[in-house]
């Protein structure tokens, strides 16, 4: 565990020890210094004495009273120890089953559906959105999962004791709210790294939930001490319950900017500091009308009043973020393989992704119980699966088969080459066998006899031979003609049995399998060599990946290859920028030698690893020029300029890059001179002009740069793996049992390395303490079944059973040591049910860039505790007693005092948090060292004062209601 996690455990234990001292000393003063002789059990209010000794222990919902009821001191001490250990062990069990419960909630709230968005210009975009609104899920299922033990304890206590009010459930709800508000928020303020702050992002929702969390306890005081003191009527219970959907509705209105919020729009812009968001007033830049097509139906909506969260539609932003992380990791770790980089990137993306309360709760529970850091485990598992998939994909049935094919599949030759050689290869399979293949030529635009010699025959690959050469004769003539081609086909691949004659062949079988591969036909192009040539690109456009590094563009010379020709070229910018931004500017001259039919141009492409890219630039070739010619031809073509004699009657034109000896330079044709030509000379000039090199059809090549397919597919794979529901969910019972018996490192340091570390001694201890619960709850249906609902129903049922045991153990423990249920609830039960939330909030405070998950969900859970925990239990009890013609009586004393005290302190807490948003501090969490320490000390002091004053009031040292 990290240093902050260790300090958290020590501070929790110190607070628990201090609370025990306070709570156990108070009965001594009341009972004349003999706390151990007290046998009060305050579970049922009708059996409770207000001050001092209390009443006789009563039966629990499940556990009976330990007989005899008044044991000696050693037996009482032993019983208290058993009850306390059992209570702690039950808290561990509730934490683990609550982990399964929260995992099912994460899967349920992560459900997505496809929608089609139609832009004003008519363009349609199909994307996925969450079915559950984030605010609604936080206040309903997330809050229920976080507060399920407290809520179910209140319901089980009332229903299990003949629908009579008890002190344990309600006081646990108030005590848990106090612990959440003061201890958890105070801890979150202090664990933020030095110099950093966290602010609440959804401020409107926070104000709504904070207001309702305070109002919930004010309302609880009103129904206890104002409307009908000592009696809870049906309407009070039902109104308390109905406040829950009303609270959710108000929060949803604030989140969606509905009703009056639609006139109070805010926009967010990026600040100068990384990660800072600045709010600005103004109208949102949204289209006036958006058409949404979902499940085949078109839903028209004005502005942002749809039921969908458009904040989740920016998938492009997510892709860009994944691409950025992958690029940074490749630069930082150039020695690592792609699988390792994907593992690191997956861990970083998951770490930086905004997470739900359910995720943080699951992660905190698994870290505490030795199950390991789920993010690191998930990243490592995904990398292992990817590696195994790659290994398996390399194994193919074709590895056992010999393939015979041409390599390469296209060939070019000049008309005067004499013969052209074609390469036939055998690949794969058993090379110990003898394989034969037939070949045959076929006319294309070239005709057998006049352009090439018709050829057919059989090629035999002896054992161990993998390549054979096939030669075909080419016919030369002095007639000017277009370029022509013909085909050569392979057929009838057979395996010749060893020892057989040349005419004996056997059919292919499994042990000696051979067949045709691709390409099994070769194309041979014959270039006419009686012309200087037509120069062109092979095609008008080419598309390349930005990861190609260097692109090679071929300039081909067709319709002749006579003479030495110079062709200039240069690149031109389009949407892609040169100068090393998208490509490197390139220009130069290609020099085709005599009989040379193609040249290549190399251009460097810059790989900036964008997820989606579609930019273009152009490569253009200029007018070709003859460099070498006879003196007569130079005169006929009126080639002016300097020449150098290279031998015989051949002269080479001097270029700017040439530096010949001045004495060797001669001028053949005078510039501006016009001679009177005879008819014969004019015909010679016309023929010479026809043989001049010229440009062909494609002189300007468009080069389109697209994103790297490998990089894009890697980003897409990472995006598919960043669903947090996949991280904490399970898809089989086998997976659950393997996780239950596996010890993993609980190192929760937020380093960049996603690699798992070896478990520590603490990890092994916690694993063996909780292995019974882990194996037992591995029987809960996996979260993949029925979209998480099967796990949801079973988990909440098990939580209800365990909370019944917790209520009985807590009540019997308090009875044994002489504590009232109200004191036991606020000190022990509230602390035990809130420890997992404490770790979850601590993790979310340090890992999340906002404070919503650590602060906003505390206020929401506190309100839900009252509306569901009190509303459901008291509504059921009030209806039951009304049906019996009785009143549902609730002693307002201790509970009303605790509620009043908590409400006062809650106002102070919320005021301090709002003040901390001032620029000199910067946010609700973190900030400068001195304000951070002062805030934490203040919040911890508020909780201690709440514990002390509630305990004093329970024993009549402070006057209550």
């Amino acid at each position: 565990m990290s240093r902050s996690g260790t300090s958290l455990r020590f501070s929790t234990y110190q607070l628990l020890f201090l609370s025990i001292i306070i709570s156990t000393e108070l009965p001594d003063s009341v009972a004349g210094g003999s706390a151990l002789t007290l046998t009060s059990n305050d579970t049922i209010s009708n059996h409770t004495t207000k001050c001092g000794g209390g009443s006789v222990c009563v039966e629990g919902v499940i556990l009976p009273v330990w007989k005899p009821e008044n044991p000696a001191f050693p037996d009482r001490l032993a019983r208290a120890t058993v009850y306390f250990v059992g209570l702690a062990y039950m808290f561990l069990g509730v934490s683990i089953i609550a982990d399964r419960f929260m995992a099912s909630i994460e899967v349920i709230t992560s459900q997505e559906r496809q929608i089609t968005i139609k832009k004003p210009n008519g363009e349609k975009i199909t994307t996925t959105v969450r079915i559950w609104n984030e605010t609604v899920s936080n206040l309903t299922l997330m809050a229920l999962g976080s507060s399920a033990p407290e809520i179910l304890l209140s319901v089980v206590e009332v229903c299990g004791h003949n629908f009579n009010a008890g002190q344990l459930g309600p006081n646990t709800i108030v005590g848990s709210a106090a612990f959440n508000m003061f201890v958890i928020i105070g801890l979150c303020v202090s664990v933020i790294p030095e110099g950093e702050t966290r602010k609440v992002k959804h401020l409107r929702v926070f104000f709504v939930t904070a207001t309702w969390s305070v109002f919930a306890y004010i309302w609880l005081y009103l129904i206890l001490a104002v409307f009908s003191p000592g009696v809870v009527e049906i309407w009070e219970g039902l109104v308390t319950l109905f406040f829950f959907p009303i609270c959710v509705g108000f929060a949803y209105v604030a989140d969606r900017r509905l009703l009056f919020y639609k006139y109070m729009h805010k926009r967010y812009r990026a600040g100068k500091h990384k990660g800072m968001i600045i709010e600005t007033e103004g109208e949102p830049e949204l289209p006036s009308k958006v058409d949404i097509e979902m499940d085949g139906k078109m839903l028209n909506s004005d502005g942002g009043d749809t039921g969908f969260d458009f904040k989740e539609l920016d998938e492009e932003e997510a892709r860009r973020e994944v691409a950025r992380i992958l690029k940074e990791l490749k630069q930082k770790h150039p020695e690592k393989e792609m699988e390792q980089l994907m593992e690191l990137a997956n861990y970083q993306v998951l770490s930086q992704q905004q997470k739900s309360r359910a995720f943080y709760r699951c992660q905190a529970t698994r870290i505490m119980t030795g199950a390991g850091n789920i993010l690191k485990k998930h990243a490592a598992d995904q990398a292992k699966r990817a590696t195994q998939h790659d290994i398996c994909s390399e194994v193919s049935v074709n590895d056992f088969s010999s393939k015979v094919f041409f390599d390469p599949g296209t060939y070019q030759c000049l008309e005067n080459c004499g013969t052209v050689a074609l390469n036939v290869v055998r690949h794969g399979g058993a090379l110990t066998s003898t394989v034969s293949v037939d070949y045959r030529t076929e006319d294309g635009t070239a005709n057998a006899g006049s352009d090439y010699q018709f050829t057919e025959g059989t090629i035999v690959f002896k054992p161990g031979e993998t390549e054979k050469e096939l030669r075909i004769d080419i016919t030369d003539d002095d007639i000017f003609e277009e370029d022509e081609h013909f085909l050569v086909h392979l057929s009838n691949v057979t395996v010749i049995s060893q020892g057989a004659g040349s005419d004996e062949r056997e059919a292919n079988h499994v042990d000696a399998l051979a067949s045709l591969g691709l390409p099994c036909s070769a194309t041979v192009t014959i270039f006419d060599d009686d012309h200087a040539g037509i120069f062109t690109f092979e095609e008008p456009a080419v598309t390349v990946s930005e990861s190609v590094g260097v692109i090679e563009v071929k300039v081909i010379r067709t319709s002749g290859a006579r003479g030495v020709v110079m062709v200039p070229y240069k690149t031109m910018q389009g949407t892609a920028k040169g100068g090393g931004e998208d490509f490197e500017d390139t220009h130069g001259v290609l020099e085709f030698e005599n009989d040379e039919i193609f040249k290549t141009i190399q251009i460097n492409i810059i790989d900036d690893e964008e997820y989606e890219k579609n930019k273009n630039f152009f490569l253009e070739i200029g007018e070709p020029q003859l460099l070498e010619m006879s003196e007569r031809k130079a005169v006929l073509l009126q080639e002016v300029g300097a020449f150098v004699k290279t031998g015989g009657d051949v002269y080479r034109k001097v270029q700017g890059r040439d530096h010949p000896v001045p004495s060797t330079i001669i001028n053949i044709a005078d510039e501006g001179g016009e001679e009177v030509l005879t008819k014969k000379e004019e015909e010679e000039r016309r023929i010479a002009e026809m043989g001049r090199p010229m440009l062909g059809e494609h002189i300007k090549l468009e080069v389109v740069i697209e994103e790297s397919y490998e990089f894009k597919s890697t980003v897409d794979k990472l995006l598919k793996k960043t669903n947090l529901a996949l991280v904490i969910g399970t898809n089989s019972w086998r997976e659950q049992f393997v996780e239950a018996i596996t010890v993993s490192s609980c190192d929760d340091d937020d380093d960049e390395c996603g690699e798992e570390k070896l478990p520590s001694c603490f990890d092994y201890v916690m694993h063996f303490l909780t292995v019974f619960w882990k194996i037992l709850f591995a029987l809960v249906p996996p979260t993949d079944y029925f979209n998480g609902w099967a796990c949801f129903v079973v988990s909440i049922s098990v939580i209800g059973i365990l909370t019944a045991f917790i209520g009985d153990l807590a009540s019997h423990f308090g009875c044994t040591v002489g504590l009232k249920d109200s004191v036991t609830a606020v000190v022990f039960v509230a602390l035990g049910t809130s420890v997992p939330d404490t770790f979850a909030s601590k993790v979310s405070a340090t890992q999340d860039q906002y404070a919503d998950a650590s602060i906003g969900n505390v206020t929401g859970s506190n309100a839900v505790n009252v509306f569901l925990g009190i509303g459901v239990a008291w509504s059921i009890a009030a209806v039951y007693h009304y049906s019996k013609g009785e009143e549902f009586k609730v002693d307002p004393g201790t509970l009303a005092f605790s509620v009043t005290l908590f409400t006062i302190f809650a106002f102070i807490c919320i005021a301090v948090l709002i003040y901390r948003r001032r620029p000199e501090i910067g946010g609700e969490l973190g900030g400068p060292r001195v304000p951070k320490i002062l805030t934490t000390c203040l919040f911890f002091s508020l909780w201690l004062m709440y514990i002390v004053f509630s305990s004093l009031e329970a024993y009549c040292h402070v006057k209550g209601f």
Side-chain angles (χ1 to χ4, degrees):
M1 295 291 289
S2 65
R3 183 179 299 176
S4 59
T6 306
S7 63
L8 170 61
R9 288 197 293 272
F10 284 139
S11 62
T12 304
Y13 297 151
Q14 293 168 358
L15 291 172
L16 176 61
F17 179 71
L18 180 60
S19 303
I20 293 174
I21 294 175
I22 295 172
S23 302
T24 54
E25 286 184 352
L26 289 173
D28 293 345
S29 61
V30 178
S34 182
L36 295 176
T37 62
L38 297 177
T39 59
S40 66
N41 190 329
D42 215 20
T43 303
I44 307 304
S45 59
N46 295 334
H47 297 88
T48 303
T49 56
K50 174 59 184 171
C51 302
S55 63
V56 179
C57 296
V58 297
E59 297 287 333
V61 177
I62 296 178
L63 300 178
V65 176
W66 198 332
K67 303 291 185 178
E69 295 190 16
N70 295 308
F73 175 76
D75 290 341
R76 187 181 293 271
L77 182 61
R79 289 186 186 184
T81 303
V82 171
Y83 282 135
F84 183 79
V85 173
L87 190 63
Y89 199 63
M90 284 294 171
F91 282 139
L92 283 177
V94 168
S95 298
I96 294 172
I97 188 60
D99 168 71
R100 308 291 309 130
F101 187 52
M102 295 298 275
S104 69
I105 292 173
E106 178 70 24
V107 171
I108 292 170
T109 56
S110 298
Q111 297 299 313
E112 297 176 339
R113 68 193 311 172
Q114 281 194 342
I115 65 171
T116 300
I117 302 174
K118 185 177 181 182
K119 293 184 177 181
N121 60 4
E123 180 184 356
K124 289 185 177 182
I125 300 177
T126 301
T127 186
T128 58
V129 294
R130 290 270 180 101
I131 296 175
W132 283 78
N133 175 269
E134 181 183 357
T135 298
V136 173
S137 64
N138 282 339
L139 288 177
T140 53
L141 293 182
M142 297 290 184
L144 176 62
S146 178
S147 305
E150 296 95 323
I151 295 171
L152 292 175
L153 178 61
S154 177
V155 175
V156 169
E157 183 186 33
V158 169
C159 297
H161 290 98
N162 297 322
F163 299 96
N164 292 317
Q167 291 287 340
L168 195 64
N171 279 283
T172 297
I173 288 177
V174 182
S176 177
F179 189 90
N180 292 345
M181 181 69 78
F182 308 134
V183 176
I184 290 182
I185 295 181
L187 178 68
C188 291
V189 171
S190 64
V191 297
I192 303 300
E194 195 71 28
E196 296 183 15
T197 58
R198 304 286 190 273
K199 295 182 71 174
V200 173
K201 179 182 179 182
H202 304 293
L203 197 57
R204 297 179 308 278
V205 176
F206 171 72
F207 282 145
V208 170
T209 56
T211 302
W212 277 97
S213 68
V214 174
F215 170 77
Y217 294 91
I218 295 175
W219 172 258
L220 187 56
Y221 170 77
L222 293 176
I223 63 177
L224 285 172
V226 177
F227 296 146
S228 54
V231 176
V232 175
E233 299 179 356
I234 295 178
W235 73 268
E236 292 173 334
L238 292 178
V239 169
T240 304
L241 181 59
F242 289 150
F243 275 142
F244 172 65
I246 295 174
C247 170
V248 174
F250 268 84
Y252 179 74
V253 167
D255 180 59
R256 299 300 307 154
R257 295 189 178 99
L258 303 177
L259 303 179
F260 60 91
Y261 282 103
K262 69 187 297 183
Y263 303 106
M264 301 169 60
H265 289 292
K266 289 182 182 295
R267 284 191 311 223
Y268 295 92
R269 62 180 175 85
K272 295 181 179 179
H273 301 285
K274 184 178 180 181
M276 182 176 292
I277 303 296
I278 301 175
E279 298 175 350
T280 57
E281 299 289 339
E283 291 297 321
E285 298 177 355
L286 294 175
S288 59
K289 192 172 185 179
V290 180
D291 295 333
I292 299 179
E293 181 182 337
M294 185 178 65
D295 295 338
K297 298 179 180 179
M298 294 300 298
L299 305 177
N300 296 331
S301 59
D302 294 328
D305 298 344
T306 64
F308 303 97
D309 195 346
F310 281 95
K311 291 177 290 185
E312 298 184 9
L313 298 182
D314 51 350
E315 294 180 358
E316 298 303 319
E317 183 64 29
R319 290 192 179 97
R320 285 194 292 270
E321 180 66 15
V322 173
R324 182 190 64 80
I325 291 174
L326 198 57
K327 286 166 58 177
E328 290 180 355
L329 288 173
K330 288 178 69 175
Q331 295 173 359
K332 194 170 185 179
H333 305 285
E335 75 285 356
K336 290 186 179 294
E337 299 293 334
M338 181 54 68
E339 290 78 9
Q340 295 174 305
L341 291 175
M342 286 182 64
E343 177 182 350
L344 295 177
N346 190 18
Y347 176 73
Q348 282 202 18
V349 171
L350 289 171
S351 299
Q352 298 177 12
Q353 183 177 345
Q354 186 175 355
K355 305 173 186 67
S356 65
R357 180 76 175 180
F359 175 84
Y360 286 122
R361 176 67 180 264
C362 291
Q363 186 180 28
T365 301
R366 297 184 190 185
I367 288 176
M368 286 194 305
T369 58
N373 188 313
I374 52 181
L375 289 181
K376 293 181 180 180
K377 288 181 63 178
H378 177 74
D381 290 345
Q382 291 294 334
K384 292 176 184 177
R385 290 176 185 175
T387 304
Q388 292 173 356
H389 180 269
D390 291 342
I391 294 174
C392 294
S393 63
E394 291 177 1
V395 180
S396 173
V397 178
N398 291 334
D399 291 340
F400 304 100
S401 171
S402 291
K403 298 291 184 181
V404 180
F405 54 90
F406 286 108
D407 184 26
T410 58
Y411 299 85
Q412 299 86 27
C413 66
L414 290 172
E415 191 179 54
N416 62 355
C417 68
T419 61
V420 59
L422 281 67
N423 194 39
V424 183
V425 300
R426 176 174 67 161
H427 179 73
L431 298 180
T432 58
S433 60
T434 301
V435 177
S436 67
V437 60
D438 297 338
Y439 65 90
R440 179 187 178 91
T441 60
E442 179 187 348
D443 288 352
T445 55
N447 296 318
S450 59
D451 296 310
Y452 72 96
Q453 296 297 321
F454 172 80
T455 308
E456 64 178 343
T458 301
I459 297 176
V460 178
F461 289 90
K462 295 180 179 180
E465 290 184 335
T466 57
E467 292 189 15
K468 284 288 187 177
E469 188 177 85
L470 167 64
R471 287 189 169 272
I472 300 174
D473 295 333
I474 304 299
T475 303
D476 189 16
D477 58 37
D478 56 359
I479 303 173
F480 177 75
E481 53 192 353
E482 298 289 334
D483 296 339
E484 298 169 320
H485 74 276
F486 65 93
L487 304 174
V488 183
H489 301 293
L490 297 177
S491 63
N492 192 25
V493 179
T494 55
V495 177
I496 303 175
S497 60
Q498 295 182 358
S502 59
D503 296 332
E504 298 180 5
R505 300 181 182 182
E506 66 173 11
N508 289 332
H509 53 83
V510 176
D511 295 332
L513 187 64
S515 61
L516 287 177
L518 293 177
C520 58
S521 296
T523 303
V524 181
T525 303
I526 304 173
F527 293 110
D528 186 77
D529 61 349
D530 300 318
H531 187 270
I534 300 175
F535 297 86
T536 181
F537 293 113
E538 289 184 298
E539 49 193 349
V542 63
T543 300
V544 297
S545 168
E546 65 174 350
S547 63
V548 70
V550 177
I551 176 179
E552 291 190 350
V553 179
K554 185 181 291 186
V555 179
I556 59 175
R557 183 184 193 181
T558 62
S559 300
R562 186 77 71 194
V564 179
V565 179
M566 175 196 72
V567 181
Y569 64 89
K570 64 178 180 179
T571 56
M572 296 184 296
Q573 289 188 160
T575 54
K577 304 300 180 183
E581 182 174 343
D582 294 308
F583 68 95
E584 292 185 2
D585 296 315
T586 306
H587 60 86
V589 173
L590 298 176
E591 186 171 313
F592 287 80
E593 298 294 336
N594 187 48
D595 291 341
E596 192 172 13
I597 56 177
F598 71 89
K599 283 280 190 180
T600 57
I601 303 172
Q602 292 186 341
I603 306 172
N604 291 328
I605 305 297
I606 307 302
D607 185 5
D608 53 8
E609 293 186 331
E610 295 183 17
Y611 176 78
E612 285 191 348
K613 187 173 186 177
N614 194 322
K615 298 181 179 180
N616 68 337
F617 68 94
F618 300 93
L619 176 63
E620 187 176 34
I621 54 176
E623 196 68 34
Q625 297 180 7
L626 273 173
L627 289 182
E628 293 183 356
M629 63 198 80
S630 64
E631 181 179 2
R632 179 60 180 168
K633 192 169 187 177
V635 172
L636 291 174
L637 294 177
Q638 295 182 321
E639 293 285 347
V640 297
F643 284 83
V644 175
K645 190 172 184 179
T646 60
D649 190 28
V650 178
Y651 293 84
R652 179 182 178 88
K653 196 170 186 179
V654 178
Q655 303 298 309
R657 62 181 185 277
D658 298 334
H659 301 284
V661 178
S663 60
T664 62
I665 298 176
I666 60 175
N667 292 319
I668 297 177
D670 296 330
E671 186 175 356
E674 293 186 3
E675 300 180 359
V676 178
L677 302 178
T678 64
K679 288 184 177 182
K680 182 179 180 180
E681 291 174 335
E682 288 181 355
E683 181 64 19
E684 289 178 351
R685 173 172 290 184
R686 188 184 67 81
I687 295 174
E689 288 288 349
M690 288 179 61
R692 184 191 290 271
M694 63 184 67
L695 293 175
E697 181 181 2
H698 307 307
I699 63 173
K700 190 174 185 180
L701 176 69
E702 180 186 13
V703 181
V704 179
I705 306 176
E706 290 185 344
E707 69 279 353
S708 168
Y709 172 77
E710 295 79 6
F711 183 77
K712 184 176 181 179
S713 62
T714 301
V715 172
D716 289 338
K717 288 179 183 177
L718 284 173
L719 277 176
K720 291 179 181 178
K721 298 174 184 176
T722 54
N723 187 349
L724 293 174
L726 300 177
V727 178
I728 64 177
T730 54
N731 53 30
S732 67
W733 269 293
R734 179 183 180 277
E735 180 184 352
Q736 292 183 170
F737 278 102
V738 170
E739 289 183 356
I741 61 176
T742 303
V743 188
S744 301
S745 172
C746 298
D747 178 27
D748 61 339
D749 293 337
D750 188 21
D751 54 7
E752 70 168 19
C753 181
E755 299 176 358
E756 289 189 278
K757 298 181 181 179
L758 292 176
S760 64
C761 180
F762 177 80
D763 299 330
Y764 280 105
V765 170
M766 292 304 299
H767 173 73
F768 287 116
L769 285 177
T770 58
V771 68
F772 168 76
W773 294 119
K774 291 179 180 179
I775 295 176
L776 179 63
F777 298 144
L779 296 171
V780 174
T783 55
D784 272 12
Y785 292 7
F786 300 101
N787 292 327
W789 286 106
C791 181
F792 179 90
V793 174
V794 174
S795 297
I796 198 171
S797 302
V798 175
I799 291 174
I801 296 173
L802 291 184
T803 52
F805 280 100
I806 288 174
D808 291 350
L809 288 171
S811 180
H812 294 340
F813 171 75
C815 174
T816 302
V817 301
L819 289 179
K820 290 194 170 191
D821 280 357
S822 59
V823 177
T824 304
V826 298
V827 176
F828 294 101
V829 183
L831 181 64
T833 57
S834 299
V835 167
D837 286 326
T838 305
F839 280 92
S841 295
K842 178 255 179 185
V843 173
S844 64
T846 54
Q847 293 186 0
D848 207 337
Q849 60 178 330
Y850 301 108
D852 298 71
S854 50
I855 291 182
N857 288 313
V858 166
T859 56
S861 296
N862 286 351
V864 172
N865 281 352
V866 173
F867 297 147
L868 291 183
I870 300 296
V872 172
W874 286 5
S875 295
I876 295 174
V879 171
Y880 174 81
H881 284 283
Y882 180 79
S883 66
K884 298 291 184 179
E886 302 171 354
E887 292 181 333
F888 176 50
K889 295 181 179 180
V890 179
D891 183 15
T894 302
L895 183 58
F897 180 83
S898 296
V899 167
T900 304
L901 195 63
F902 168 76
T903 303
I904 295 172
F905 289 169
F907 272 115
I908 298 174
C909 179
I910 294 174
V912 171
L913 291 177
I914 294 175
Y915 179 82
R916 285 179 57 85
R917 291 182 65 89
R918 295 173 64 88
E920 53 265 27
I921 298 179
E924 290 86 353
L925 305 182
R929 181 177 178 82
V930 174
K932 183 165 64 173
I933 295 176
L934 291 177
T935 302
T936 302
C937 292
L938 172 63
F939 287 179
F940 278 24
S941 301
L942 291 176
W943 183 68
L944 288 175
M945 286 191 291
Y946 169 79
I947 293 295
V948 171
F949 282 113
S950 295
S951 301
L952 290 173
E953 193 278 336
Y955 292 97
C956 299
H957 288 275
V958 175
K959 184 178 180 181
F961 297 97

